C-alpha cells in the first residue's frame, strides 16, 4: 500500500449475497394435523436467498414437521408454501420442488448397498439425466469439498458417522439445490465427529447457500446464523438475530429453554 492509496470509503462487500431478490421460501399460515393432533398452527416464514436460519425449540414443538413440509415429505393441510416461486400444492410439482430443496437428516439415510460415489451420482443420473461421467466428476468434486474424496469407493458401513453425514451433504448438493434443509444433522454423532460436519455446514453457509438448520449447536448458530427461529407448540414464537435471542429472549419458553441448554 503506497502513501497515495485512497482510504477505503465503502465497506468491504459482504462475502455472501444475502437478502437480495424475492424470498426462496414463503410459508403463510402453514397448518399440519396428525389425526386430531395439531402439529403446526399457522407458521409464517420468509427466507431470502443466502440466508441461514437456525430453528430451535423443545422436543415435539414441530421443527421436523415444519421443515418436512417444505419439501413435501409431509404434506401440509392448511396455508401456503412456495419454494422459489413454485407453489407446493401436491399437484404434480413435487419433483420440481425436490430438485430445489436438498435435505439432510439426523440418520444419514445413505443407500447401504451403493458405494459413496454411487450414492451421490444416483439422483443426478436418474432425475437430472446427467451422464455417468459428468455425474462422477462432479461427485468427486463434491467429495473433495466435504473432505472425503479418498472414501469414494467405500460402502457407507465402512465410514464413520461423521464421514457418512458428509456424504449425505454431498449427495444433497449433487442435485444443485437452491435451499438446504438440515434436521439435527449432528445429533446422532459422537462428539469428536460433530465438528467435522459443522465445519462443512459453515463452509456451505459462507458460500452463500440458503439454509434452514434445526440444531441446538449454539456455536454454529452464533457463528453463521442470520436468524434464529424458536418453535413452541407448533408455531414460531421468536424470529430474531442470534445476538438478540441469546442475550434477551422475549418468550418465557425460550428463556426456560436457553437456561437448560446453555
Ligand atoms: P420436533 O422436531 O420439534 O421435536 P416434530 O415435528 O417431530 O417435533 O413433532 C411435532 C409433534 O407432532 C409431536 O408431538 C409428534 O409426536 C407429532 N408427530 C410428528 N410426526 C407424526 C406422525 N407421523 N404421526 C403422528 N404424530 C406425529
Ligand atoms: Mg425433530
Amino acid at each position: 500500500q503506497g502513501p497515495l492509496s485512497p482510504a477505503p470509503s465503502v465497506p468491504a462487500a459482504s462475502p455472501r449475497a444475502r437478502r437480495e431478490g424475492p424470498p426462496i421460501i414463503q410459508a403463510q399460515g402453514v397448518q399440519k394435523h396428525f389425526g386430531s393432533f395439531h402439529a403446526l398452527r399457522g407458521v409464517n416464514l420468509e427466507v431470502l436467498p443466502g440466508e441461514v436460519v437456525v430453528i430451535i425449540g423443545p422436543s415435539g414443538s414441530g421443527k421436523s414437521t415444519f421443515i418436512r413440509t417444505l419439501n413435501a415429505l409431509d404434506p401440509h393441510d392448511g396455508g401456503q408454501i412456495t419454494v422459489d416461486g413454485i407453489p407446493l400444492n401436491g399437484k404434480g410439482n413435487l419433483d420440481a420442488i425436490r430438485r430445489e430443496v436438498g435435505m439432510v437428516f439426523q440418520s444419514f439415510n445413505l443407500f447401504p448397498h451403493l458405494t459413496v460415489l454411487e450414492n451421490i451420482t444416483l439422483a443426478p443420473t436418474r432425475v437430472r439425466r446427467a451422464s455417468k461421467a459428468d455425474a462422477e466428476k462432479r461427485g468427486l468434486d463434491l467429495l473433495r469439498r466435504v473432505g472425503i474424496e479418498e472414501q469414494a469407493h467405500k460402502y457407507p458401513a465402512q465410514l464413520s458417522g461423521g464421514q457418512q453425514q458428509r456424504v449425505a451433504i454431498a449427495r444433497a448438493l449433487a442435485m444443485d439445490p437452491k435451499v438446504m434443509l438440515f434436521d439435527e444433522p449432528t445429533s446422532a454423532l459422537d462428539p469428536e465427529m460433530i465438528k467435522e460436519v459443522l465445519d462443512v455446514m459453515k463452509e456451505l453457509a459462507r458460500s452463500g447457500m440458503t439454509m434452514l438448520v434445526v440444531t441446538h449447536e449454539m456455536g454454529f448458530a452464533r457463528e453463521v446464523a442470520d436468524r434464529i427461529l424458536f418453535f413452541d407448540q407448533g408455531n414460531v414464537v421468536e424470529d430474531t438475530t442470534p445476538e438478540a435471542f441469546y442475550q434477551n429472549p422475549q418468550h418465557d419458553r425460550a428463556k426456560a429453554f436457553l437456561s437448560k441448554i446453555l
Side-chain angles (χ1 to χ4, degrees), residues 4-259:
L4 294 180
S5 50
S9 58
V10 285
S14 161
R16 313 208 269 132
R18 275 187 203 151
R19 299 193 172 85
E20 276 165 34
I24 292 210
I25 290 175
Q26 273 182 303
Q28 285 168 338
V30 172
Q31 309 264 347
K32 175 70 183 176
H33 297 77
F34 293 108
S36 62
F37 183 74
H38 202 174
L40 296 178
R41 303 170 179 236
V43 176
N44 296 308
L45 177 67
E46 284 198 353
V47 179
L48 300 182
E51 275 195 302
V52 177
V53 178
V54 162
I55 300 176
I56 67 177
S59 179
S61 58
K63 306 178 299 293
S64 295
T65 303
F66 179 62
I67 69 166
R68 290 167 61 87
T69 64
L70 296 179
N71 72 344
L73 279 173
D74 274 333
H76 58 295
D77 51 32
Q80 285 169 347
I81 300 173
T82 61
V83 178
D84 202 25
I86 306 168
L88 222 171
N89 55 17
K91 291 192 193 119
N93 53 7
L94 283 187
D95 286 350
I97 294 283
R98 292 199 180 134
R99 252 175 270 152
E100 308 251 337
V101 181
M103 180 130 182
V104 175
F105 304 88
Q106 179 176 337
S107 53
F108 326 121
N109 295 3
L110 299 174
F111 300 111
H113 58 293
L114 298 180
T115 66
V116 163
L117 188 57
E118 287 165 351
N119 263 278
I120 294 176
T121 57
L122 185 69
T125 51
R126 296 231 176 133
V127 182
R128 286 216 184 264
R129 309 207 172 276
S131 74
K132 188 161 180 262
D134 286 349
E136 287 186 348
K137 181 175 179 302
R138 178 150 160 71
L140 288 170
D141 285 344
L142 287 166
L143 285 174
R144 195 173 310 125
R145 183 170 176 190
V146 302
I148 43 172
E149 196 191 8
E150 71 284 357
Q151 313 292 344
H153 301 291
K154 291 193 183 162
Y155 287 86
Q158 297 173 280
L159 272 53
S160 72
Q163 290 172 326
Q164 290 188 56
Q165 193 60 303
R166 287 186 281 156
V167 174
I169 294 171
R171 180 175 65 174
L173 291 174
M175 291 295 278
D176 251 334
K178 296 235 172 73
V179 183
M180 286 281 283
L181 308 176
F182 294 85
D183 193 359
E184 305 208 26
T186 60
S187 326
L189 296 176
D190 291 336
E192 71 270 22
M193 291 169 192
I194 292 176
K195 180 176 182 298
E196 68 192 44
V197 171
L198 292 178
D199 283 348
V200 166
M201 293 168 61
K202 287 178 194 170
E203 186 274 324
L204 194 57
R206 292 193 186 103
S207 78
M209 178 62 76
T210 308
M211 296 165 58
L212 266 73
V213 185
V214 179
T215 185
H216 295 147
E217 291 290 337
M218 295 299 130
F220 174 84
R222 278 176 204 258
E223 213 173 308
V224 300
D226 296 299
R227 287 156 69 187
I228 303 266
L229 305 184
F230 184 79
F231 262 71
D232 189 43
Q233 298 184 359
N235 224 328
V236 177
V237 298
E238 292 202 35
D239 179 351
T240 185
T241 63
E243 295 74 24
F245 183 76
Y246 293 120
Q247 282 162 23
N248 190 20
Q250 299 299 305
H251 197 272
D252 283 345
R253 295 291 294 245
K255 287 178 196 166
F257 182 80
L258 272 179
S259 71

